[in-house]
């Protein structure tokens, strides 16, 4: 499970880091981080895919959101017992205390 998260987080971090730095032209002397390289990469992808280059970033962002949801769903499915026990420990006592604070059902049924 640790490796799944590593192999998911590494590309997402690298892609968003490159996109953010190159979009705002924070190159630090590296050509790949310049706005010129940013525009060139998306122009090439747009030409290869046959779509306008400005439509690619929202498509990639949507794909990253869907992939992240799938990864977290897999992690949640694998760890559902630990999550359920944590939830019961965290919120179970609070729910029991709030139930005790209200009147019991027998008292409510005898109300006028």
């Amino acid at each position: 499970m640790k490796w799944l998260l590593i192999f998911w987080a590494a590309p997402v971090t690298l892609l968003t880091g490159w996109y953010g730095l190159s979009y705002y032209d924070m190159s630090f002397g590296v050509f790949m981080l310049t706005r010129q390289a940013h525009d060139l990469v998306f122009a090439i992808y747009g030409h290869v895919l046959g779509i306008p280059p400005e439509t690619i970033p929202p498509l990639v962002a949507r794909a990253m959101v869907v992939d992240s949801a799938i990864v977290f769903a897999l992690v949640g499915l694998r760890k559902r017992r630990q999550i359920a026990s944590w939830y019961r420990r965290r919120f179970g006592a609070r729910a029991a205390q709030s139930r005790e604070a209200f009147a019991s059902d027998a008292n409510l049924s005898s109300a006028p």
Side-chain angles (χ1 to χ4, degrees):
M1 190 57 51
K2 162 177 75 170
W3 290 105
L4 173 69
L5 291 174
I6 289 171
F7 284 125
W8 163 79
V12 168
T13 304
L14 287 173
L15 182 63
T16 55
W18 170 80
Y19 183 80
L21 290 173
S22 65
Y23 184 80
Y24 293 109
D25 201 16
M26 294 186 220
S27 65
F28 304 110
V30 179
F31 172 73
M32 203 54 207
L33 298 177
T34 63
R35 181 62 189 218
Q36 182 183 6
H38 176 93
D39 293 337
L40 179 64
V41 166
F42 285 110
I44 291 170
Y45 280 143
H47 180 70
V48 168
L49 296 173
I51 59 176
E54 56 274 359
T55 62
I56 296 172
L59 294 175
V60 172
R62 192 175 311 142
M64 286 173 41
V65 166
V66 170
D67 290 347
S68 299
I70 290 170
V71 166
F72 287 124
L74 287 172
V75 170
L77 187 66
R78 295 276 312 255
K79 305 265 184 192
R80 65 184 177 271
R81 288 189 183 116
Q82 291 94 346
I83 293 170
S85 68
W86 170 83
Y87 185 82
R88 274 187 243 108
R89 276 184 281 133
R90 177 82 170 113
F91 298 107
R94 190 178 305 165
Q97 289 172 355
S98 66
R99 269 187 252 126
E100 292 171 0
F102 292 111
S104 67
D105 291 334
N107 291 340
L108 291 177
S109 64
S110 64

